[in-house]
Structure formats: structure tokens, C-alpha cells
Amino acid sequence: MTTRSAKVQIAFRYRTVDSPSGVTRKTAKRLAERLGVDETQAIHLALHELAAKVLPQYDPKPRPALILIVFDDDAPRFEVRVAYGTSQRTTTLHRGEFLILRSRNPAAYQTAGLSYDTKFDLKQTVDLSYTTEWFSMPPAAPHGHSPKLGTLHPSLVRALEAAYRAAAK
């Protein structure tokens, strides 16, 4: 005897008028037609796009992150907005990015506690719980019992501000 698992479904109610918090069925139909899909697929595509924007898209793994904002609304639990660093393609900067290079600024590089030249993209930020799921102790724990790798050197503040302004455009 085989058993089928019941499909989990929810009731979906369209809004009576289009607003930032929802759309009418007429708008959903127009969108679906424009995309060449049915209404259900249009809803799935919209939810997928929202999930990619709102939910962290990174698996927890050791990588440098620049904490941009600390949210303390639920203290003692904190959330932070971070821009992850990458050591890939550090020879090219795009709008909203800034770079910490060992050869250009050895003091800033050392203060940051980095192992490689690192680029941060302030257009790609994520909000994370400040927990051990996302933040772990670095090797040798240079700042005691803290996941902190280093500090942003004062000489990099202008570059960070410029990247932040460019990312906001």
C-alpha cells in the first residue's frame, strides 16, 4: 500500500487595489501574461526574487565580512548588516565596491586582519543574526573571545564612504 503526502497549500487572496503590500488579480494576470507563465508561476517567481533579496544567500563559511549596521531592537539578540569580502577579481572595482590591498596600504591590511587582498561590495549586503551560525572564532583569535578579525583602518574610511554612497545610487 502506498501513501501520498498531502500537498501543503495556502489560500492566496489578491488585493482590491495595487499597493506596496500586494497586487490585484488583474495585475497578476498581466504580469503572468508578460512573463509567459501562469499566475501560480508568476507568484513563485516573485517570491523567489524576494527570497533572494531578503534571505541570506550564503552558506556559513569562513570569510571576512564588514559589519555596516548593528540592529539592537531585540537586545540582547542582535542582527547585523554585512558586506562580505572576496579575494576574487580584486584587480577591478565596480560602483559600490572598495578594496583593501596589502601592497597599497600595508598598515590598513594588517589592521583588518585579512589573509588576502579583499574587495567588499556594498551593493550586496545581507542581514544576519549575530550568532555562531554566521560568526565564528577566527584562527588564533586575535581579539580574544570574539569573531572579530580586525578593524577598518582610519585611512580607509573615505573609500568606504564613497563606495557606500555609490551603492545607494
Side-chain angles (χ1 to χ4, degrees):
M1 182 164 129
T2 62
T3 59
R4 282 186 161 176
S5 58
K7 289 184 179 180
V8 177
Q9 297 184 1
I10 63 166
F12 183 83
R13 292 188 181 94
Y14 289 102
R15 302 289 190 239
T16 55
V17 295
D18 288 329
S19 72
S21 65
V23 298
T24 61
R25 180 137 193 220
K26 180 180 177 182
T27 298
K29 284 183 174 185
R30 287 178 47 222
L31 181 60
E33 185 177 314
R34 184 68 162 284
L35 294 173
V37 298
D38 62 27
E39 286 177 70
T40 301
Q41 188 60 32
I43 293 167
H44 281 292
L45 291 170
L47 288 172
H48 175 74
E49 186 172 325
L50 182 63
K53 285 182 181 179
V54 173
L55 300 175
Q57 299 299 305
Y58 302 97
D59 290 331
K61 79 173 197 176
R63 70 171 81 204
L66 180 65
I67 295 178
L68 302 171
I69 300 173
V70 175
F71 301 101
D72 61 358
D73 302 345
D74 295 324
R77 290 184 313 228
F78 296 92
E79 296 228 342
V80 293
R81 178 163 298 149
V82 303
Y84 278 115
T86 180
S87 59
Q88 305 297 309
R89 296 181 295 284
T90 58
T91 56
T92 307
L93 282 181
H94 300 284
R95 182 175 54 85
E97 296 178 343
F98 85 101
L99 185 60
I100 301 175
L101 285 174
R102 181 187 318 203
S103 62
R104 188 178 299 161
N105 194 333
Y109 181 85
Q110 182 177 6
T111 302
L114 299 169
S115 301
Y116 303 98
D117 291 343
T118 304
K119 175 168 67 171
F120 295 89
D121 183 356
L122 301 184
K123 294 185 315 299
Q124 299 292 321
T125 62
V126 292
D127 293 350
L128 304 170
S129 296
Y130 192 72
T131 63
T132 55
E133 177 183 7
W134 296 103
F135 298 90
S136 61
M137 300 290 289
H143 296 278
H145 192 67
S146 166
K148 179 177 172 181
L149 283 176
T151 305
L152 187 68
H153 193 273
S155 66
L156 295 174
V157 171
R158 285 192 179 139
L160 172 63
E161 288 173 339
Y164 190 81
R165 282 192 305 274
K169 291 182 181 180

